């Protein structure tokens, strides 16, 4: 593995499009897209990818290597749209992989990366590279994902998405609920394991007032 470039090493690259004013590099933006499962986080991330691609801007797309739902080198939305992505074990690998003249980098399922992604994202935006991250804010037990929480403090743009509640059908689902597959809060899966629900329906399920399984299938 190559050694991570020192902070500032990217600056030596000539890039006519880099955001420069008065000889100073302008910082990039960190955009964080959060919400429960099925809320459109990946779709929104991919719509930003498209915008940069349409502008012929150089980008790179990353994902945690542990997310093997749709193949290790793909970011994929529940609707089926997808994009090639570079799998990461460790967020610091991003600094070895990028060339330094990217306009933006994109990370899906960021909740599965270590909190070191905070330092990586800070370096990149300080170098004028836009960073877009999408991820779950909470586990199905309503515990915050540490990495997402930390990125929330750094982000200058936060997009909080909602899904359609699986029980009541309203577009106000902010929570994910696990319907099968054991108790683990780190558990890759899709519709066979998780539904999106609003807070009222989540609480009704917890109190036994709704039989979630009678709504499935
Ligand atoms: P996320 O990354 O937040 O899980 P995706 O962008 O992968 O979301 O998927 C969003 C798509 O999921 C929607 O465009 C829709 O086609 C589909 N979908 C399935 N179930 C739901 C739901 N309960 N609410 C909203 N969209 C849903
Ligand atoms: P999604 O937000 O793009 O739908 O993907 C979320 C992924 O996170 C999916 O693989 C399921 C997993 N997950 C957990 O590991 N723990 C949880 O508590 C929840 C809600 C999802
Ligand atoms: Mg997603
Ligand atoms: Zn509901």
């Amino acid at each position: 593995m190559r050694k991570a470039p020192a902070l500032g090493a990217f600056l030596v690259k000539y890039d006519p499009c880099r955001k420069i004013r008065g000889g100073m590099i302008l910082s990039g933006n960190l955009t964080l897209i959060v919400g429960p499962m099925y809320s459109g986080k990946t779709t929104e991330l991919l719509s930003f990818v498209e915008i940069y691609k349409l502008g012929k801007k150089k980008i790179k797309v990353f994902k945690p290597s542990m997310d093997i739902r749709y193949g290790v080198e793909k970011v994929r939305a529940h609707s089926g749209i997808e994009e090639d992505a570079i799998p990461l074990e460790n967020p610091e690998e991003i600094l070895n992989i990028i060339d330094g003249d990217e306009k933006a980098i994109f990370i899906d399922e960021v909740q599965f990366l270590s909190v070191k992604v905070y330092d990586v994202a800070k370096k990149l935006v300080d170098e004028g590279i836009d960073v877009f991250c999408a991820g779950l804010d909470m586990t199905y037990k309503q515990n915050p994902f540490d990495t997402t929480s930390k990125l929330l403090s750094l982000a200058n743009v936060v997009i909080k998405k909602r899904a359609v509640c699986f029980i009541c059908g309203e577009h106000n689902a902010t929570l994910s609920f696990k319907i099968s597959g054991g108790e683990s809060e780190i558990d890759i899966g899709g519709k066979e394991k998780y539904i999106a629900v609003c807070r009222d329906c989540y609480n009704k399920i917890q109190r036994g007032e709704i039989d979630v399984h009678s709504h499935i299938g």
Side-chain angles (χ1 to χ4, degrees):
M1 193 184 291
R2 278 190 290 151
K3 200 168 162 286
L7 179 56
F10 308 136
L11 304 184
V12 296
K13 298 225 172 192
Y14 172 68
D15 177 1
C17 297
R18 190 174 284 294
K19 296 186 276 185
I20 295 176
R21 189 184 296 149
M24 295 286 289
I25 289 192
L26 296 183
S27 54
N29 290 308
L30 171 60
T31 302
L32 182 62
I33 306 163
V34 297
M37 289 184 68
Y38 317 108
S39 62
K41 302 182 299 295
T42 302
T43 306
E44 183 113 21
L45 189 80
L46 294 182
S47 75
F48 284 118
V49 168
E50 186 179 13
I51 287 166
Y52 279 74
K53 281 186 160 180
L54 285 168
K56 300 191 171 37
K57 308 261 172 64
K58 182 167 170 178
I59 62 155
K60 283 200 171 66
V61 182
F62 297 95
K63 60 170 280 189
S65 56
M66 66 173 282
D67 179 20
I68 48 163
R69 262 186 305 175
Y70 308 112
V72 79
E73 294 188 0
K74 292 263 184 238
V75 161
R76 190 169 190 215
H78 291 285
S79 58
I81 57 165
E82 61 181 21
E83 182 72 35
D84 290 344
I86 302 163
L88 297 170
E89 296 283 339
N90 180 326
E92 286 157 321
E93 291 165 26
I94 293 173
L95 300 177
N96 293 336
I97 293 167
I98 64 169
D99 301 313
D101 55 355
E102 287 83 357
K103 283 283 143 317
I105 72 119
F106 300 83
I107 311 173
D108 197 19
E109 304 289 0
V110 76
Q111 76 276 359
F112 292 141
L113 290 175
S114 88
V115 291
K116 289 181 198 155
V117 76
Y118 176 94
D119 299 312
V120 173
K122 191 140 75 68
K123 274 185 189 180
L124 295 175
V125 294
D126 282 344
E127 294 290 347
I129 298 173
D130 293 326
V131 178
F132 292 83
C133 298
L136 293 169
D137 38 12
M138 274 191 284
T139 72
Y140 78 96
K141 288 184 178 171
Q142 296 193 46
N143 292 317
F145 275 103
D146 291 346
T147 296
T148 315
S149 301
K150 210 165 170 196
L151 285 173
L152 270 167
S153 68
L154 183 66
N156 55 321
V157 181
V158 176
I159 302 172
K160 184 130 179 168
K161 309 280 294 179
R162 287 173 299 170
V164 175
C165 175
F166 186 79
I167 304 293
C168 70
E170 295 301 316
H171 185 220
N172 60 358
T174 54
L175 303 171
S176 311
F177 189 88
K178 198 168 190 185
I179 51 172
S180 70
E183 289 275 300
S184 173
E185 287 176 271
I186 305 288
D187 189 11
I188 304 296
K191 292 204 158 155
E192 74 295 350
K193 278 188 193 157
Y194 299 98
I195 56 173
V197 286
C198 72
R199 179 163 294 281
D200 287 340
C201 290
Y202 187 104
N203 289 337
K204 283 181 190 163
I205 297 168
Q206 295 284 59
R207 292 195 297 262
E209 293 165 19
I210 290 175
D211 174 16
V212 70
H213 293 282
S214 69
H215 288 260
I216 298 168

